[in-house]
Amino acid sequence: MNIQQMFEELDELFNANDVRGAGACMNRWLMEARSQKDWKSELTILNEQIGYYRKTGNRAEGMETVLRAFQIVDEHGLESHAAGATTWLNGATALRTFGEYETSYFYFEKTMNLYKKLLEPQDYRFASLYNNMALLLSDMKRGKEAESLFLKSLEILENNPAMEAETANTYVSMAHMYHSVETDPEIRQEKVGEALRKALGILRKNNPLPDSYFAYICETCAKSFHYFGMKSEESELKAMAENYYHRKGAE
């Protein structure tokens, strides 16, 4: 299978903000991989679908996809390979979104242990692990541990200009964490405000947006600015995303 063709199709669909079409595209390629008994391509597609179902809030399909991906890791001995760790990370992130906190933590720890054996400490994949594990710890009201992981993530992200969308998203996640766990109202307000200002500065600097992932991050962050009562900034981020899709649609 030419799996790269699927990614090219997905890029076009996401650039057009055709979320439903992207889901259908992945399903079509998944059926083709299974018909050819191509488990490597199947695992690649499942990892994409895990993120898709997480973002669209489809718990039933998401849980089924996570379990199948974990099964492939077990069946093909990927427990000591980066592909296995990446699958555990994606699955753990979805499990956290679906409220399966203990199982999510178990797979985050498995990912951490394997990454430490395979990767350099500044590898960008650690940033994703730290961020998503921090979100889980924040949900579990373990604020100090969550903050420590967010800061570790930023040490990696801020040294990589290609990761600015992730950096902005990390600051917004930190704002939610501070709002959730900080008990002193003045300190909470200060920390939340500082994190949101840093996120907004990064997104504004990249306007007009360079790709569909930045547009997705703007849409996601807009919801957070709405949550914090910052309606003007919410509208600004929504407009940035809409302008990107309009621009791509006119090309």
Side-chain angles (χ1 to χ4, degrees):
M1 284 183 63
N2 181 10
I3 198 68
Q4 184 57 35
Q5 186 179 341
M6 181 195 75
F7 287 110
E8 290 171 2
E9 291 181 23
L10 287 177
D11 281 344
E12 292 182 7
L13 291 163
F14 284 126
N15 279 331
N17 202 23
D18 186 356
V19 177
R20 186 184 297 273
C25 172
M26 284 183 276
N27 278 328
R28 174 166 49 83
W29 280 88
L30 181 65
M31 294 302 102
E32 180 66 19
R34 287 175 174 169
S35 71
Q36 296 185 23
K37 301 188 185 304
D38 183 350
W39 67 265
K40 292 181 180 179
S41 292
E42 180 181 358
L43 183 59
T44 298
I45 298 163
L46 289 170
N47 272 295
E48 288 298 309
Q49 287 186 313
I50 288 170
Y52 175 82
Y53 290 132
R54 173 175 58 81
K55 292 172 184 175
T56 56
N58 188 334
R59 189 183 192 281
E61 295 286 351
M63 289 294 294
E64 181 179 339
T65 302
V66 169
L67 293 175
R68 174 57 184 155
F70 287 174
Q71 182 182 20
I72 292 177
V73 170
D74 292 340
E75 288 176 350
H76 295 279
L78 299 179
E79 297 92 342
S80 59
H81 296 271
T86 298
T87 301
W88 291 337
L89 172 57
N90 291 338
T93 302
L95 288 166
R96 172 250 162 188
T97 301
F98 299 144
E100 301 290 336
Y101 291 168
E102 295 302 324
T103 308
S104 174
Y105 187 80
F106 173 78
Y107 281 101
F108 276 133
E109 282 202 314
K110 283 172 70 75
T111 305
M112 181 79 77
N113 291 335
L114 186 50
Y115 271 2
K116 286 179 177 179
K117 294 178 182 177
L118 299 176
L119 307 178
E120 294 297 320
Q122 291 300 305
D123 191 289
Y124 74 94
R125 283 168 284 190
F126 269 113
S128 179
L129 170 59
Y130 293 148
N131 269 344
N132 287 298
M133 195 169 185
L135 288 170
L136 174 64
L137 290 168
S138 180
D139 289 340
M140 298 171 77
K141 305 302 180 185
R142 293 162 62 173
K144 293 296 183 183
E145 295 169 82
E147 182 180 37
S148 175
L149 289 181
F150 277 132
L151 293 174
K152 283 185 177 183
S153 175
L154 288 171
E155 286 180 12
I156 298 171
L157 294 174
E158 291 182 334
N159 287 318
N160 189 338
M163 304 296 288
E164 286 196 312
E166 285 292 349
T167 306
N169 198 42
T170 298
Y171 277 119
V172 170
S173 295
M174 290 182 76
H176 283 285
M177 181 268 295
Y178 289 131
H179 185 264
S180 174
V181 304
E182 179 56 61
T183 56
D184 185 299
E186 290 186 8
I187 296 176
R188 180 171 61 243
Q189 183 176 3
E190 178 183 351
K191 288 186 173 181
V192 168
E194 181 182 7
L196 292 175
R197 283 192 296 273
K198 287 181 177 179
L200 189 60
I202 292 169
L203 295 174
R204 282 172 170 167
K205 185 178 70 172
N206 284 278
N207 192 35
L209 303 178
D211 54 48
S212 61
Y213 185 63
F214 255 105
Y216 165 74
I217 291 297
C218 281
E219 291 175 318
T220 300
C221 291
K223 297 174 184 176
S224 294
F225 279 87
H226 174 84
Y227 177 81
F228 289 111
M230 301 173 69
K231 301 296 179 63
S232 175
E233 290 81 358
E234 174 197 4
S235 297
E236 179 183 355
L237 292 175
K238 284 183 176 179
M240 286 165 61
E242 289 168 1
N243 288 340
Y244 171 81
Y245 294 126
H246 178 76
R247 190 173 77 250
K248 296 302 290 186
E251 290 181 356

